[in-house]
Every structure is written in structure tokens, then in C-alpha cells.
Amino acid sequence: MKDRLRQQIGDALQACFNNSTLHSGVVPDVQIEIPGNPDHGDFASNLAMTMARAEKKSPRQIAEALVEALDDCDFLSKVEIAGPGFINFTLAPGCWYGVLDEITVKGKDYGLSQVGKGQKIQVEFVSANPTGPLHIGHGRGAATGDAVASVLQAAGYEVQREYYINDAGNQMRTLGLSLLLRYRQVCGEQVEFPDDCYQGDYILDFAKEIQKAEGLRYLELDESEAIELLGRFGGERILAGIREDLEAFGITFDNWYSEQGLFDRDEVSAGLKVLKEKGLSYEKDGAVWFRTTDFGDDKDRVLVRSNGETTYFASDVAYHLEKFSRGFDTVIDVWGADHHGYVQRMKAVVNGLGRNPDDLQVILVQLVSLLREGEPVAMSTRSGEFVTLREVVEEVGKDACRFIFLLRRADSQLDFDLELAKRQSTDNPVYYVQYAHARVCSICRNAEEQGVQILEREALDLSSLALAEELTLAKHLARYPETVINAAQNREPHRVVYFLQELAAQFHSYYNRQRVLVDDPATTQARLYLVKGVRTVLANALNLLGVDAPERM
RNA sequence: GCGCGAUUAGCUCAGCUGGAUAGAGCGCUGCCCUCCGGAGGCAGAGGUCGCAGGUUCGAAUCCUGCAUCGCGCGCCA
């Protein structure tokens, strides 16, 4: 619709140049926006104002010339010049109801587009270390990454979802040590459990299981061997749990990528070699450094420590090098906001490797504060008693959990009230939206029970959709595709959430004032057609967020 | 100290990348049940968009400075 209008304006502009009403010949980017105030029509263009300087005429004069040159066309019902020089366009109601046909025809595909042109994008998210269960913060990262990926897919990008497993390095050793110490305790030894070991109860539980299954075997092993074995065992075990938790959360990855694999295939050392050959690294104080300062970082970063061990950063360099070699146009990393200091250096790496730093985009996900009836839920990381994602999903359900995680922009800190999430009332945004969907379904069931025959499109008379609220609903439905595109291009799935809340509000309001199933058959048919469009769009949008659209609740 | 991010209604937050009278939810006040699910709806009050400058036809939005808050600044991961 917008494009058609843009075309019309472009033609009018050309006509003005041709008949010399306007002189500059400069064709600016025609901006069309949707005014906040409905009195200003359905669309508005600021074209006349932006041209004022080049034309050396007042915006209103330009606007008049443009409006004069505008072809008569059936889809515009009113064109006005207003304010300092806005041109406001009001569309004929009929063309808004055309969107209902589009929705009906496209069904689940309504809202999909090809603006991504098949560009390859990888979204890497969660990527929690396999040293403990996922907690609530990981959950938000999971919901965000998955929704970003979905929204990108809907916009025509080719998307891969990847989980990077940090299964190498110190943390696995620490995990092995933690398990070994707990195991010794379980076996009756008096050993101290240091602060820098993993404190959570799950470690102790595993240790008990191991003792039960394998007896005292690990006591007899060489300590370093025991640590390695237990670290590997524990890591695999925890990772399996993470997969289960994510599955229960409705998230599946296309690829699980192991850091250890990078070492096994010598890709870390290969990556280091690439850097050296490009002159991007140097030795100092017995360590190897990356010249990230050449690309905007604060200081250079260590790749290989003086003791010969590579850093996590070295793995990440190799990992991102490898990612881009897989042919992605853009790589998106979803990180906890506490890692924001890391962004600059990774972009420096990408830059140093000869790519546009914007090819790596980082979405930072802020903390989640867990509340219960407004009171903070204690989350002591010291004792390891954090709230796990699993617990929260079990308590409030997948849908509420995912929806609430996406309620705010990712970089905005989020309050998550467990009681609110469970409440079945208007305070709870997820129920509010799902309920709208269930209500439409309910209406459709009633229609069926009453024996309402659904007519073919040709037999429908949409002119009975004459109410302002009906037009408003149709207009909102028409905005869904661009909402998805905006969400994709800005990597901001919360825009879909806001869209949904508004659509649900409009629907509830309409429902409350008007009956769909009325005595007049033509009106009933037309309203059912409208309301089914609402249902489809609600379902499509919820689906993008990984939230179910229930038929009854 | 340096860097990053924030600052919008009593509270939690949007604000479509520079547009016209700044929006929503919660909370508050007052209404609406012979009605397809009241698990709802309607209305009202509530703002010098942190402060001060600048850019221009036009600024919550862009630039500069300041203030306050949060986070990050290991040869950890």
C-alpha cells in the first residue's frame, strides 16, 4: 500500500518537473510515515518540506503543486495539505479491507517477506558454559536469540541457530576438580571445598550418582586423570541437561559447536598463524598479543599466555574466523550485558581479519530480576542457589516465560514477577494476548454451532464493516508485515510483542462493544471475516515469538 | 581514572531512526454485567522527555558539555 502511494507521489513529482512547476530536478527519497494522529490521515509525507530548500519555495507551495499533479486514483479518498507542509493521504476504506483477503489467502505466510534476499545470517545464542544448569538469565538470552532468528527468517534471511559450547580450558578443569572433591566427600574423606569451585548442589548430586554407580574407582586414579575424566563426564552430563531445558523451552539449534573441536582440528593454532602472518600479533613479555588497538580497542589483548596456554580470546578469534569462512554475511552474537566490554575487541578482531566490523553484531541482553508479588526472589550466586530456567518454566509455563522475556528491549533490564506471570487476568500481558486468540476461536465455534454457513469470498459484502473500530483493526492488521521487517532489521523482537498487545487491545475493545454473530447475515459474515483475520495475525505473531496460540484456555 | 549503556507519567517501560497535541501497562478515581467467555470494557487525573547549550522549517530522537545511576576495564572464562 505504501509502495503504491510512493509510486503515485513519484509520478506526481516527475510531472511537476516535466511541466516546470518545480525546477530543482532533484528527486529526494520519498518518506512516507504513518501519522500518530488519525486526523492526519493514514499516511503523510514530508516531501514538500524537505524539498523547500532546493526549490527555494515555501513547503506549502510545493505541496500544492504536488497535490495538483497527483493522478486521480481509486484508492485515495482524501488528500490534504496540513501544518507546515505535510501532505496527508486518506485511503478509501475498501483498500484497507483488501488486507483481509491477503491474510485469508496467505494464512500462515501472511507477514513473511523477502527483504533479507536470502542473505545468510547466523545467530549464536545461549552458549552457556556446560558447568551448571541454565539460569533465568540464559533463558532471556534464549528467548531473544530464538525470536531474533525467527523474525529474520520471516523477513527472508537464511538463518542458522548455533550454540557455542565452551568445553575447553580452565572451567572444565574446575568442573572436574569440583566433582572430584565432592566425590571424595561422598566417599567419606574430609576435604575442603574451595570457593572457586562450583558451589551448586547439582555437583554434589552428580558426585553421589558417580559414587553409587562406580564405587571408589576415581580415588584410585591419578588425580589429574580423575579430574579430566570427571570434567568430561560432568560436562557431557550438564550439556545434556541444558539441551533438555532448551527443548522444554521450545528451542532447537541447527548446530552445536564445540570449542574443544577447534583445538582438536588445530584451528586455534591455525588462527594464530593467520594473525601472525598478517602482522596482527606480536610477542611481548613471553606472551602473544593481538593488536586490537589498531582497530579501535583500548588495549592489545593476550592470545597466548607466557605459560603457553591459549586464552579464551584466542578460541574466540578462531571461532569467529571459522564462522565467517562458513559463508555468513552477518554473524549475530547474543551475550549477557556483563560482557559488553568484549564487544569492541571482537569487532576489532573482525575488522583485523579484513571484514566490515558491522558484519559482527552483538545483542546484549540485560539482567532479569526475579520477583514474587513484587518482592525480589533471592538469587545467591555465592551458594550456587540461583533460580534455574527449568524451575521457572515449570512454574509459570513456557509461553508466559518466553513472552515476558521479550516484553522489553533486550538491553533494558527486566523485572519478571512469577506470580504475575501465572495470573490469568489483564495484568498478565501474555494471557491478555492469548485470550484474544482464544476468544476469536470461541466465536468461530459458536458460529459453527449456530449453523452459520461460511460464504465464499465473492459472496461477502465487506461494506457492512462500516464502523471506525473495524477500520482501525484492519489497518493494524495491515501493519503486521512491516512490523516484522522492522523487528528483523533492528534485531528487536519486542516490537512484535508491542504489536500484539495493541492488536489484542483493539480486538478486546471491539468484542466488548460489538457482537460478531448478529441477526443480519451479511454483517455476521463480514465480521467473521475480519475477526478471522485477527486470529491469523495473532497466531502468526505469537508463533514468531515461540508462544502458542491456544484455541481455548 | 578510562570505556560502554542508561535517564520519558507515582511505578515498569514503548516511542516506527528528525515531524504535527509525547504513548501503553500497572497503580489511583469513577463508571458498564438480561452481552459470541466480566479471565473483559469505557472514561478521568497524572509530563518543563535528567540539566544547559548547539545543529534546522521542526529535536524525546542528532552534536557538545555537565549531573546522577548501572556495568565493564586479568597473561580468567
Side-chain angles (χ1 to χ4, degrees):
Chain A
M1 198 56 63
K2 220 169 173 174
D3 293 333
R4 272 173 76 183
L5 186 58
R6 196 186 306 276
Q7 182 68 38
Q8 289 285 331
I9 296 173
D11 291 348
L13 188 57
Q14 202 54 54
C16 287
F17 288 145
N18 290 346
N19 70 17
S20 302
T21 333
L22 297 176
H23 309 95
S24 70
V26 179
V27 182
D29 187 29
V30 178
Q31 291 176 37
I32 298 173
E33 62 194 23
I34 298 170
N37 185 340
D39 293 343
H40 298 146
D42 296 320
F43 295 103
S45 178
N46 61 358
L47 185 62
M49 271 125 70
T50 58
M51 288 181 71
R53 182 176 293 232
E55 287 291 337
K56 299 191 178 108
K57 279 187 177 175
S58 81
R60 290 198 74 106
Q61 282 177 303
I62 299 168
E64 277 163 26
L66 280 168
V67 170
E68 185 65 29
L70 214 54
D71 287 339
D72 282 338
C73 54
D74 51 351
F75 71 95
L76 288 176
S77 74
K78 195 166 73 176
V79 180
E80 286 181 319
I81 299 166
F86 288 103
I87 308 174
N88 294 337
F89 302 89
T90 304
L91 270 55
C95 71
W96 287 113
Y97 291 126
V99 74
L100 298 179
D101 295 330
E102 193 186 339
I103 295 169
T104 306
V105 170
K106 290 187 176 168
K108 282 188 187 341
D109 289 344
Y110 178 67
L112 304 187
S113 67
Q114 288 304 320
V115 295
K117 296 174 189 158
Q119 275 188 72
K120 289 181 72 179
I121 297 192
Q122 186 207 54
V123 184
E124 181 226 312
F125 58 109
V126 188
S127 299
N129 297 344
T131 55
L134 295 178
H135 60 254
I136 184 105
H138 295 126
R140 190 178 184 194
T144 303
D146 194 48
V148 167
S150 295
V151 153
L152 286 168
Q153 277 174 319
Y157 294 87
E158 191 185 322
V159 180
Q160 184 193 50
R161 291 168 169 83
E162 180 156 293
Y163 188 115
Y164 179 57
I165 311 163
N166 293 123
D167 53 0
N170 278 339
Q171 59 211 343
M172 298 317 289
R173 218 156 25 231
T174 306
L175 177 63
L177 178 62
S178 305
L179 274 171
L180 181 63
L181 295 176
R182 287 298 191 206
Y183 172 79
R184 283 184 179 164
Q185 289 177 339
V186 171
C187 295
E189 286 187 25
Q190 289 290 324
V191 289
E192 222 176 290
F193 196 79
D195 286 346
D196 57 357
C197 278
Y198 298 117
Q199 305 290 318
D201 290 341
Y202 60 95
I203 299 285
L204 189 58
D205 294 340
F206 283 180
K208 284 179 186 163
E209 273 180 47
I210 297 164
Q211 191 269 337
K212 209 172 253 177
E214 307 194 49
L216 305 179
R217 182 166 98 84
Y218 290 96
L219 294 182
E220 293 152 16
L221 292 176
D222 179 55
E223 186 177 273
S224 63
E225 194 182 349
I227 288 173
E228 204 199 314
L229 279 173
L230 287 172
R232 198 179 307 155
F233 167 80
E236 283 168 9
R237 179 65 192 272
I238 290 169
L239 192 61
I242 287 174
R243 278 180 197 251
E244 277 174 30
D245 289 356
L246 288 170
E247 210 162 296
F249 201 41
I251 292 175
T252 50
F253 285 89
D254 302 309
N255 201 24
W256 294 75
Y257 195 95
S258 159
E259 180 187 4
Q260 185 58 47
L262 285 169
F263 287 98
D264 296 345
R265 294 188 302 275
D266 284 329
E267 289 185 35
V268 176
S269 49
L272 292 175
K273 210 171 142 195
V274 170
L275 297 185
K276 193 176 176 185
E277 282 165 2
K278 291 193 174 202
L280 296 170
S281 64
Y282 62 93
E283 282 189 45
K284 193 182 89 180
D285 303 334
V288 180
W289 301 69
F290 193 140
R291 293 183 198 279
T292 47
T293 46
D294 286 1
F295 307 98
D297 199 6
D298 294 341
K299 47 182 149 184
D300 291 339
R301 308 291 172 175
V302 171
L303 293 160
V304 184
R305 289 183 266 165
S306 50
N307 67 4
E309 286 181 37
T310 58
T311 59
Y312 176 84
F313 179 56
S315 295
D316 249 3
V317 170
Y319 176 45
H320 283 84
L321 188 60
E322 198 277 342
K323 276 195 200 194
F324 281 113
S325 77
R326 280 188 258 162
F328 295 111
D329 298 295
T330 304
V331 163
I332 297 176
D333 291 357
V334 180
W335 293 346
D338 52 339
H339 289 74
H340 77 252
Y342 210 74
V343 175
Q344 205 177 16
R345 97 183 57 159
M346 276 321 295
K347 281 188 171 267
V349 168
V350 173
N351 197 351
L353 295 172
R355 290 197 65 122
N356 184 336
D358 290 338
D359 290 348
L360 171 69
Q361 294 170 5
V362 180
I363 297 174
L364 296 173
V365 180
Q366 269 291 356
L367 291 175
V368 179
S369 306
L370 212 51
L371 307 175
R372 193 178 286 283
E373 292 293 4
E375 295 299 316
V377 175
M379 281 195 284
S380 166
T381 48
R382 191 172 47 82
S383 66
E385 288 175 24
F386 45 60
V387 178
T388 62
L389 176 62
R390 173 178 290 258
E391 287 166 342
V392 176
V393 171
E394 279 172 1
E395 181 171 346
V396 309
K398 178 204 71 163
D399 287 342
C401 203
R402 290 189 72 151
F403 196 91
I404 290 170
F405 280 145
L406 296 170
L407 211 48
R408 312 251 175 269
R409 334 169 23 122
D411 59 9
S412 161
Q413 198 249 351
L414 174 72
D415 287 338
F416 189 143
D417 194 308
L418 290 165
E419 295 306 321
L420 177 61
K422 286 190 288 185
R423 206 171 298 155
Q424 307 200 344
S425 71
T426 173
D427 325 352
N428 182 350
V430 59
Y431 276 92
Y432 186 72
V433 172
Q434 286 184 318
Y435 182 47
H437 184 268
R439 265 188 159 168
V440 181
C441 293
S442 170
I443 294 169
C444 292
R445 284 194 296 271
N446 285 330
E448 205 173 329
E449 278 169 26
Q450 291 172 21
V452 175
Q453 295 292 316
I454 302 301
L455 300 181
E456 294 297 312
R457 173 64 183 91
E458 294 74 34
L460 286 179
D461 178 14
L462 296 187
S463 65
S464 34
L465 295 177
L467 298 169
E469 304 143 81
E470 291 163 342
L471 199 54
T472 303
L473 267 173
K475 286 179 187 178
H476 199 63
L477 295 176
R479 294 199 63 177
Y480 177 62
E482 68 181 79
T483 301
V484 175
I485 291 168
N486 283 334
Q489 289 179 336
N490 294 289
R491 290 87 167 99
E492 290 182 345
H494 77 276
R495 294 183 189 221
V496 177
V497 176
Y498 276 85
F499 173 89
L500 272 169
Q501 289 182 289
E502 197 176 332
L503 179 57
Q506 285 176 3
F507 170 74
H508 284 308
S509 170
Y510 176 62
Y511 175 93
N512 198 252
R513 287 178 185 229
Q514 308 295 339
R515 289 182 61 92
V516 172
L517 307 177
V518 291
D519 291 337
D520 176 47
T523 305
T524 297
Q525 292 287 340
R527 288 185 177 174
L528 268 175
Y529 197 60
L530 170 66
V531 152
K532 282 182 176 177
V534 171
R535 179 178 66 183
T536 299
V537 174
L538 283 170
N540 290 0
L542 283 168
N543 181 50
L544 277 184
L545 306 177
V547 178
D548 291 338
E551 294 188 10
R552 7 177 139 240
M553 297 172 69

